[in-house]
Amino acid sequence: MASDSTTPPHPRARASIAAHSPFEASEVFGSEAVSRIAKTLPFFERTYAKIRFSILRPKLLSVMDLLLPDSGRILDVGCGFGLFAAYFGQTQPNRHIVGIDPDARRVKLAQHVSDELGLGHRFIAGDVRDAPLEGPFDAAYVLDVMHHIPAADQRGVIERMRDLLVPGGTLLIKDITTDPHYGLVFTELLDRAMVGWNEPLAYRHHHAWGEMLDGLGFKVRIVRVPDVLPYPHVVIAATRA
Ligand SMILES: C[S@@+](CC[C@H](N)C(=O)[O-])C[C@H]1O[C@@H](n2cnc3c(N)ncnc32)[C@H](O)[C@@H]1O
C-alpha cells in the first residue's frame, strides 16, 4: 500500500524518523548530553553533576530549553561548574554562552567542560552585581541562584540583567518558591548542607518575583513544575519590553 502524509508510520520506522526530523531534539531525556558532561569532570564534581541533573531533571530542562532562543548570546548567571551551559550548548550548538560566577575554581572547571566538548563558551569569575559584562544578550538564565543573592540586592540584579538584554530578550529564572512551607524547609536543609549556616538565603514566593519583574517592565509567565521530591520548583520566563 502506498504511504501518504496521513498514514501513521510503522512502529519500527519511528526511531529513524525522529532521528532525522529537523524539529525534534536529537535524543530523548538528554541522557547522552549529560553523560558527555559527566565524563569531563573529576570524581567529586562528576558526582555533584549527577545529583544536579537528577534534581533539574528532563521535565525541567526541556521546559527551559524551549524557552531559551536556539542561537545568539546567552548569559548564564551563577554558572557554577557550567553544567547547564554545557547541556543547553549541546542541545543547540548555535548558542554562545557567557557564564559568570564568583567561585574561580568552578569557573575554571566550567571552561574546561566547554573546551573538552568543543562548545566555545566563555566563563568569567565575578559577581553579577558588579562584574564588567558586555551586552547585549539575547537571553539570560539564572538557575537556582537568585536565592543566594541577598534580598536587598535581588531587584538590582534583575534590573542589571534587563539592561543587558536586547528588547524582546528573555530572562529565565528557575528558583524555589516558598509554598508549600515543608517544600521550602526540605530545600533549605539541602542548600544549607552545601553553603553552611552563615550564608543568608533569600527565597521569595513566586508571586513576589512576578510583581518585581512586572514592575521592572518585563512581561512575565510562571509555571510551577512538580517533582517526585518535595522541591517547590518554579520556572519564570520574563520578556524584556
Ligand atoms: C546552587 S548553585 C547553582 C549553580 C548552577 N546555576 C547550577 O544550577 O548548577 C548557586 C551558584 O550561584 C553562585 N552565586 C552566588 N552569588 C552570586 C553572585 N552574586 N553572582 C553570581 N553568582 C553567584 C554560586 O557561586 C553558585 O555557583
Side-chain angles (χ1 to χ4, degrees):
M1 187 179 80
S3 166
D4 62 34
S5 59
T6 59
T7 309
H10 187 280
R12 274 203 304 274
R14 277 191 198 130
S16 60
I17 288 171
H20 293 103
S21 163
F23 308 116
E24 184 176 349
S26 59
E27 54 160 331
V28 181
F29 305 142
S31 48
E32 284 170 30
V34 171
S35 125
R36 277 191 289 270
I37 295 167
K39 281 186 192 142
T40 65
L41 290 164
F43 176 76
F44 171 77
E45 288 78 9
R46 185 180 304 180
T47 309
Y48 174 83
K50 285 181 182 160
I51 295 170
R52 201 73 192 106
F53 278 110
S54 73
I55 295 171
L56 290 198
R57 53 189 71 240
K59 208 189 274 185
L60 269 161
L61 287 176
S62 307
V63 167
M64 297 191 287
D65 200 15
L66 284 179
L67 287 167
L68 289 172
D70 62 0
S71 60
R73 294 188 78 220
I74 301 180
L75 179 65
D76 178 343
V77 178
C79 60
F81 300 115
L83 303 179
F84 298 104
Y87 182 88
F88 294 133
Q90 286 184 84
T91 55
Q92 296 292 344
N94 290 326
R95 288 174 175 155
H96 301 290
I97 300 179
V98 176
I100 179 165
D101 198 290
D103 187 322
R105 196 181 67 85
R106 290 184 185 190
V107 164
K108 201 170 162 204
L109 259 176
Q111 192 65 62
H112 167 79
V113 174
S114 165
D115 293 348
E116 284 289 303
L117 298 176
L119 297 172
H121 300 160
R122 195 164 64 86
F123 295 89
I124 303 163
D127 187 317
V128 67
R129 290 172 288 187
D130 54 20
L133 283 168
E134 201 182 320
F137 291 94
D138 299 286
Y141 62 88
V142 199
L143 307 189
D144 287 328
V145 174
M146 284 312 295
H147 60 264
H148 290 279
I149 292 175
D153 296 339
Q154 289 171 339
R155 188 183 166 90
V157 166
I158 291 182
E159 216 165 355
R160 178 155 203 225
M161 288 188 276
R162 179 197 63 195
D163 296 344
L164 285 166
L165 286 174
V166 295
T170 300
L171 170 60
L172 181 61
I173 299 176
K174 149 74 187 74
D175 219 277
I176 291 297
T177 187
T178 57
D179 172 44
H181 184 67
Y182 68 83
L184 177 62
V185 172
F186 170 79
T187 311
E188 181 163 1
L189 284 173
L190 294 175
D191 269 338
R192 289 276 168 224
M194 290 298 291
V195 301
W197 290 92
N198 294 330
E199 183 178 312
L201 290 171
Y203 306 93
R204 284 179 196 262
H205 192 279
H206 53 287
H207 292 173
W209 286 121
E211 276 156 28
M212 185 189 289
L213 287 155
D214 181 64
L216 288 170
F218 284 96
K219 183 168 170 267
V220 186
R221 286 177 300 152
I222 301 181
V223 288
R224 299 189 61 171
V225 182
D227 198 331
V228 283
L229 291 170
Y231 291 110
H233 298 298
V234 63
V235 176
I236 305 172
T239 312
R240 184 188 162 167

